[in-house]
Amino acid sequence: MNFKKLAVLLIAVPVSLAGCLGIGPNATYYMGTTSFHYPLSYSSYMVKLNGAEIGGGFGKSTNVAPIKVGVQAVTWKDTNTGELHTAKNQLVINKEQLKGKKYLALHMYPDDTVEVTTSDDLPDPTEKGLVWLEKQRSQEVKEGKIITKQLQ
């Protein structure tokens, strides 16, 4: 084997292993995913994280999806109107959040902001989400009805 081939091999193998081991800025993790949708006025469907559909059903439906570290593009659709929603806040997932975890849950709030939680067991709703649900119920927002005033 000549020197050029050996040099290419010595460079290619570590770079390839880095990608397989999730090392580097574009690491991808395959993990169980689900979502929690807190607005009572509609149900969500086609919940996507960077174009990959994730589970839903308020944590009752999961699937395995590729999760990349970095800035996330989060979208979902409204069952009443088919309207495409996009997260209003920037969601960034880092390697420390994912390392060693089995599940990722996306939490979608009535103001179209989102956050993620990770866990070793099936995820639970967030305290923030439960507060949103109680606020909507106290304002007598009916499930499946379109909200006519903006919740603050």
Side-chain angles (χ1 to χ4, degrees):
M1 187 179 327
N2 66 29
F3 180 73
K4 286 183 182 179
K5 287 182 182 178
L6 182 59
V8 169
L9 186 61
L10 290 175
I11 293 171
V13 169
V15 171
S16 297
L17 285 175
C20 292
L21 297 174
I23 301 170
N26 297 323
T28 300
Y29 294 78
Y30 288 85
M31 56 195 315
T33 60
T34 190
S35 61
F36 291 82
H37 180 259
Y38 298 99
L40 292 177
S41 62
Y42 69 95
S43 294
S44 62
Y45 71 103
M46 296 295 292
V47 179
K48 294 183 178 182
L49 202 58
N50 289 332
E53 193 168 354
I54 65 171
F58 208 73
K60 292 182 174 59
S61 172
T62 63
N63 71 332
V64 175
I67 307 298
K68 293 185 178 192
V69 297
V71 177
Q72 307 296 306
V74 182
T75 60
W76 64 96
K77 289 189 176 183
D78 176 331
T79 54
N80 291 343
T81 64
E83 174 188 355
L84 181 67
H85 291 253
T86 302
K88 288 185 178 177
N89 60 314
Q90 184 179 55
L91 179 64
V92 178
I93 297 177
N94 60 51
K95 187 187 288 190
E96 290 74 34
Q97 288 174 282
L98 303 178
K99 195 164 185 111
K101 301 296 182 180
K102 294 179 184 174
Y103 296 97
L104 178 137
L106 176 70
H107 301 269
M108 300 168 288
Y109 301 110
D111 61 357
D112 281 356
T113 60
V114 298
E115 69 177 321
V116 295
T117 58
T118 56
S119 61
D120 291 324
D121 297 314
L122 287 173
D124 293 316
T126 61
E127 186 62 35
K128 179 180 176 179
L130 296 174
V131 168
W132 268 111
L133 287 174
E134 185 55 38
K135 182 176 182 178
Q136 291 172 91
R137 288 183 180 124
S138 71
Q139 294 176 348
E140 299 182 359
V141 173
K142 303 294 182 200
E143 290 190 37
K145 301 292 181 194
I146 297 175
I147 297 176
T148 56
K149 63 180 179 176
Q150 178 71 22
L151 293 173
Q152 299 294 326

